[in-house]
């Protein structure tokens, strides 16, 4: 059983893949001399544990001298593991390569091999420029200045020195420019992730206050490729948040084109491409641009295969989240509920395998969408199970919109299950919750009003009348940009229409999508 001792070393060791562990073994044998044995056996013992138990480790090695100062031993082993990872990954990325080359330049400089140092800096500068690594370019510039001073500015003119200042200022401005865009993006997404799409004028004004920043007045204000990506990213999210899908889609397409035009800049962060591509697919499907959607889906599948090998845990989570979310969205729109149900075991497996790795919002989407899939397949008990996972999980209330819609969805499922004794109590609970959060917007008001009426009658004629009224009210609401968000979570209109026509929900969804 684990105790309160620090488990940082355990987590670090557990994060290593097979190749990294094999390299550690070789590295430890070469670099730790007499301590090698202690590090190797302690590393192996910790690696065998499924949960960190320091008491068990101390008991296992009670006769070894290193347990007398175990906190120091752990700290040293931690450093050895990090050093082995540093060596193993020294050329695994552009940033790692640049750091290595700059370190080499420093070594050459200190050995007074100035000509060789200059050549190293020149080649490193070309790489940093190609991949737009501006912080590395500033560091290279510092070493270039040191070389000039060492050589007493031999062969340099006044104009050369001035040009260095111009270049340094431009690099610094690009770094500042990126930081400012990143700040705007992060402020915006903090709000968007918490409250969801705009539901009233106050929220709209809050969005506009951020988006009206002078940096966002034109693409030309973005000074680098990465900052242009942030420019399109901010606007695609802004228009998505206010319900203008046409403009959101336009900015998403621009970002996909930008990433594909400059693969060198983004290739080491494939999750950016996946994220933009899946967002483009989702918004395109909402606009019924199915030709473009399927073309982008083909791109996504090819990219998934390309990055399947060598992906890390974080990337695996992001790839699974992006691809699965978009699949669920398309199946929901087209009425292919059985295909969606096939994803349920995979979703449960990944959530169990990587607890805490998925964002709360993404996890909530999985629960809601799987509930909708089971609902569409008329497996209402399973639908209730998934929606209850959302409603009963801690911290999901932070994702306010989806939590509110889940409350409504829960009531609808109970109605389908004919839980006549339970629905009135649940209805009062939902009404109290929404009222306390000031979340009773037009959509919620229409749905609660309808459910209140349904609860008071068992007559088929009256129920049919209420379903017709509901359908007409929802059709009207869908044209309201503040209320449109509800219809992306679930097709409430098709559900009401299915009750009016007395056919299955699936039939109406398929007809709406042009599948029949």
């Amino acid at each position: 059983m684990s105790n309160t001792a620090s488990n940082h070393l355990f987590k670090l060791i557990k994060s290593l893949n097979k190749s990294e562990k094999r390299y550690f073994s070789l590295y430890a044998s070469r670099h730790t001399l007499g301590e090698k044995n202690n590090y190797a056996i302690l590393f192996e013992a910790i690696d065998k544990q499924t949960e960190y138990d320091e008491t068990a480790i101390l008991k296992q090695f009670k006769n070894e001298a290193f347990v007398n100062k175990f906190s120091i031993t752990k700290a040293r082993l931690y450093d050895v593991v990090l050093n082995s990872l540093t060596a193993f990954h020294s050329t695994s990325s552009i940033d790692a390569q640049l750091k290595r080359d700059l370190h080499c330049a420093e070594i050459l400089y200190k050995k007074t091999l100035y000509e060789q140092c200059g050549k190293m800096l020149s080649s490193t500068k070309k790489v940093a420029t190609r991949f737009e690594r501006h912080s590395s370019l500033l560091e290279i510039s510092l070493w270039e200045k040191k070389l000039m001073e060492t050589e007493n500015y031999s062969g340099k003119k006044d104009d050369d020195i001035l040009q260095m200042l111009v270049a340094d200022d431009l690099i610094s401005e690009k770094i500042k420019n990126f930081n400012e865009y990143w700040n705007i993006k992060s402020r915006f997404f903090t709000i968007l992730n918490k409250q969801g799409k705009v539901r009233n004028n106050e929220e709209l004004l809050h969005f506009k206050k951020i988006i009206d920043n002078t940096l966002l007045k034109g693409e030309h204000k973005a000074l680098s490729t990465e900052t242009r990506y942030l420019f399109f990213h901010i606007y695609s999210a802004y228009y998505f948040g206010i319900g203008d899908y046409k403009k959101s889609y336009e900015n998403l397409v621009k970002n996909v084109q930008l990433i594909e035009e400059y693969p060198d800049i983004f290739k080491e962060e494939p999750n950016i491409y996946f994220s933009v591509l899946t967002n483009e697919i989702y918004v395109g499907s909402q606009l019924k641009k199915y030709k473009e959607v399927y073309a982008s889906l083909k791109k996504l599948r090819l990219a998934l295969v390309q990055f399947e090998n060598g992906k890390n845990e974080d990337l695996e989570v992001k790839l699974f989240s992006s691809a699965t979310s978009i699949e669920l969205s398309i199946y929901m729109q087209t009425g292919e509920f059985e295909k969606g149900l096939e994803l349920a075991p995979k979703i449960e497996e990944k959530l169990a395998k990587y607890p805490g790795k998925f964002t709360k919002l993404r996890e909530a989407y999985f629960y809601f969408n799987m509930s909708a899939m089971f609902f569409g397949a008329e497996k209402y008990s399973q639908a209730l199970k998934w929606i209850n996972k959302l409603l009963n999980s801690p911290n999901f209330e932070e994702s306010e919109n989806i939590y509110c819609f889940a409350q409504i969805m829960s009531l609808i499922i109970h109605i389908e299950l004919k839980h006549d004794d339970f629905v009135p109590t649940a209805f009062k609970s939902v009404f109290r919750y929404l009222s306390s959060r000031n979340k009773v917007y037009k959509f919620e008001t229409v749905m609660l009003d309808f459910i209140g009426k349904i609860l008071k009658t068992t007559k088929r004629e009256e129920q049919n009348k209420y379903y017709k009224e509901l359908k007409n009210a929802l059709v009207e609401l869908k044209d309201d940009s503040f209320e449109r968000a509800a219809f992306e979570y679930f097709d409430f209109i098709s559900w009401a229409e299915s009750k009016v026509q007395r056919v299955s929900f699936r039939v109406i969804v398929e007809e709406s999508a042009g599948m029949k």
Side-chain angles (χ1 to χ4, degrees), residues 202 311 344-345 468:
E202 184 182 347
K311 65 188 179 188
K468 282 181 180 177

Side-chain angles (χ1 to χ4, degrees), residues 78-258:
Y78 190 92
D79 286 341
V80 174
V81 174
L82 278 183
N83 288 338
S84 75
L85 285 172
T86 300
F88 182 78
H89 291 285
S90 62
T91 57
S92 64
S93 69
I94 295 302
D95 290 319
Q97 180 185 327
L98 288 169
K99 286 181 174 66
R100 174 188 171 278
D101 290 349
L102 279 165
H103 190 211
C104 289
E106 180 184 2
I107 292 168
L108 292 169
Y109 177 86
K110 288 181 177 179
K111 288 186 173 294
T112 69
L113 299 170
Y114 301 130
E115 183 181 353
Q116 293 179 44
C117 176
K119 288 181 178 179
M120 176 64 74
L121 289 174
S122 178
S123 62
T124 305
K125 191 173 187 176
K126 288 176 183 177
V127 175
T129 301
R130 176 186 170 191
F131 291 93
E132 296 190 12
R133 297 304 198 263
H134 301 115
S135 58
S136 293
L137 286 168
L138 278 184
E139 195 171 349
I140 291 166
S141 180
L142 285 173
W143 282 109
E144 287 177 334
K145 291 180 178 71
K146 286 185 179 185
L147 277 181
M148 282 188 192
E149 292 169 347
T150 302
E151 297 167 349
N152 293 316
Y153 308 98
S154 175
K156 299 298 178 185
K157 300 176 183 176
D158 185 59
D159 190 54
D160 295 328
I161 309 299
L162 288 173
Q163 285 302 312
M164 284 191 76
L165 179 62
V166 171
D168 286 346
D169 284 346
L170 179 58
I171 294 168
S172 297
E173 183 60 27
K174 286 180 178 179
I175 292 172
K176 181 174 182 287
N177 186 245
F178 173 84
N179 290 336
E180 287 173 336
Y181 274 91
W182 186 91
N183 189 269
I184 296 167
K185 183 267 293 186
S186 298
R187 287 175 58 212
F188 186 79
F189 273 85
T190 299
I191 300 167
L192 186 63
N193 288 340
K194 184 178 186 297
Q195 73 178 37
K197 293 181 185 173
V198 166
R199 301 292 305 279
N200 55 45
N201 279 313
E202 184 182 347
E203 292 175 355
L204 179 60
L205 287 172
H206 199 172
F207 273 29
K208 283 185 174 178
K209 188 177 179 181
I210 296 175
I211 213 74
D212 281 344
N213 191 292
T214 53
L215 287 169
L216 300 174
K217 297 301 181 185
E219 184 187 340
H220 66 282
K221 291 186 177 291
L223 302 180
S224 66
T225 305
E226 213 169 0
T227 312
R228 285 174 64 204
Y229 155 75
L230 287 177
F231 176 86
F232 296 132
H233 188 39
I234 292 166
Y235 267 114
S236 65
Y238 169 71
Y239 286 121
F240 180 80
I242 66 172
D244 190 338
Y245 281 5
K246 184 179 177 183
K247 287 185 178 178
S248 176
Y249 186 76
E250 288 171 1
N251 281 279
L252 285 165
V253 169
K254 286 178 182 178
N255 242 350
V256 170
Q257 291 171 344
L258 180 73

Side-chain angles (χ1 to χ4, degrees), residues 407-408 410-412 414-415 419-437 440 444 447-449 451-453 455-456:
Q407 297 267 10
I408 300 294
S410 174
L411 289 176
I412 290 175
H414 282 299
I415 288 172
H419 290 167
D420 299 334
D421 294 336
F422 178 77
V423 175
T425 304
F427 173 78
K428 290 177 183 176
S429 175
V430 172
F431 184 79
R432 280 197 303 271
Y433 168 79
L434 294 174
S435 298
S436 69
R437 293 300 184 100
V440 188
E444 287 84 352
M447 291 301 301
L448 291 174
D449 182 59
I451 293 170
K453 290 176 180 177
L455 292 177
K456 294 176 182 177

